[in-house]
Amino acid sequence: QVQLVQSGAEVKNPGASVKISCKASGYTFTGYSMHWVRQAPGQGPEWMGWINANSGDTNFAQKFQGRVTMTRDTSISTVYMDLSRLRSDDTAIYYCARGIGWYTPMDYWGQGTLVTVSS
Amino acid sequence: DIQMTQSPSTLSASVGDRVTITCRASQSISTWLAWYQQKPGKAPKLLMYGASSLESGVPSRFSGSGSGTEFSLTISSLQSDDFATYYCQQYNSYWTFGQGTKVEIK
């Protein structure tokens, strides 16, 4: 069965960076893309960007361009999301979610990783 | 950017009720619309895609309709497991979610 397992909760100071991992299993890793979506407390989800797990090509929401990096390691079926210059309003649960490509929704989600930004 | 607006924000209902949630897109998205269910402390779960296609394993009491800018999700007979928050999402141009509709016990 498809599983996406994310790394654990993080607490960061403002201005720092955070790197979250998402390990995939149960499907052909390079046949899909991976989205990153975050959800601030009490808010709806917000799409951050995605990475093509085969080519490594990325596409980011304009809001995060310049601050976010997404990479993958095909040898261990894992994708990573790195967000830099953290601010207090980056406090949220961050999810990885599987996608196929353009014009498709997200069919499987990780369990989420809470990132708290506080001094 | 395409904005998604859901109504109502909160819906109070009883088991067995028929409930409908609406979602409006700021521009036409054809039928590139999905619905998700989210329970507290859990990730969103895909319920429906293509505006009206049921994801595998989702009960048939859920149905969706609409195209262009107006969409709806209907639960024909609300069950206890259905009390949750529901989000619409457009995937016509990147991906954008609505702000959510919380279905609570009346």
Side-chain angles (χ1 to χ4, degrees):
Chain A
Q1 73 283 19
V2 174
Q3 280 195 305
L4 303 175
V5 179
Q6 298 182 221
S7 50
E10 302 265 10
V11 179
K12 295 291 182 181
N13 290 322
S17 297
V18 67
K19 188 171 187 175
I20 304 170
S21 66
C22 171
K23 182 172 178 60
S25 61
Y27 70 96
T28 302
F29 178 73
T30 52
Y32 293 81
S33 295
M34 197 73 76
H35 298 268
W36 287 92
V37 175
R38 76 178 188 180
Q39 188 170 28
Q43 304 297 312
E46 178 180 33
W47 180 75
M48 299 179 67
W50 69 333
I51 180 168
N52 181 312
N54 185 41
S55 66
D57 290 344
T58 55
N59 202 302
F60 306 129
Q62 189 167 7
K63 174 177 180 178
F64 299 101
Q65 286 187 11
R67 272 210 310 147
V68 69
T69 305
M70 296 179 188
T71 56
R72 94 282 190 228
D73 185 338
T74 58
S75 69
I76 56 172
S77 300
T78 300
V79 297
Y80 303 91
M81 189 281 294
D82 195 317
L83 186 63
S84 63
R85 303 193 300 278
L86 289 168
R87 307 184 293 257
S88 58
D89 62 356
D90 290 318
T91 294
I93 298 174
Y94 289 75
Y95 295 100
C96 59
R98 194 182 77 164
I100 296 173
W102 297 105
Y103 303 105
T104 61
M106 301 151 190
D107 60 356
Y108 287 92
W109 294 62
Q111 84 277 19
T113 296
L114 174 63
V115 175
T116 303
V117 183
S118 175
S119 55
Chain B
D1 291 6
I2 300 175
Q3 308 302 316
M4 307 300 292
T5 304
Q6 290 182 232
S7 60
S9 297
T10 306
L11 189 160
S12 299
S14 302
V15 171
D17 285 353
R18 179 183 179 90
V19 301
T20 297
I21 299 166
T22 63
C23 177
R24 176 175 294 174
S26 60
Q27 65 189 73
S28 178
I29 58 170
S30 184
T31 56
W32 302 117
L33 184 102
W35 290 96
Y36 296 83
Q37 176 192 67
Q38 187 177 33
K39 296 183 177 179
K42 299 294 186 182
K45 172 190 172 184
L46 179 64
L47 293 179
M48 196 156 296
Y49 59 94
S52 61
S53 296
L54 213 56
E55 177 70 350
S56 175
V58 174
S60 59
R61 62 181 179 272
F62 290 91
S63 64
S65 65
S67 66
T69 62
E70 301 282 339
F71 302 88
S72 63
L73 173 71
T74 297
I75 308 172
S76 60
S77 178
L78 198 65
Q79 302 301 301
S80 57
D81 190 49
D82 302 336
F83 291 99
T85 300
Y86 294 84
Y87 295 97
C88 62
Q89 177 206 50
Q90 69 81 20
Y91 48 95
N92 176 76
S93 174
Y94 296 97
W95 291 263
T96 314
F97 294 83
Q99 83 281 12
T101 295
K102 183 179 181 181
V103 177
E104 61 178 25
I105 300 172
K106 190 172 184 179

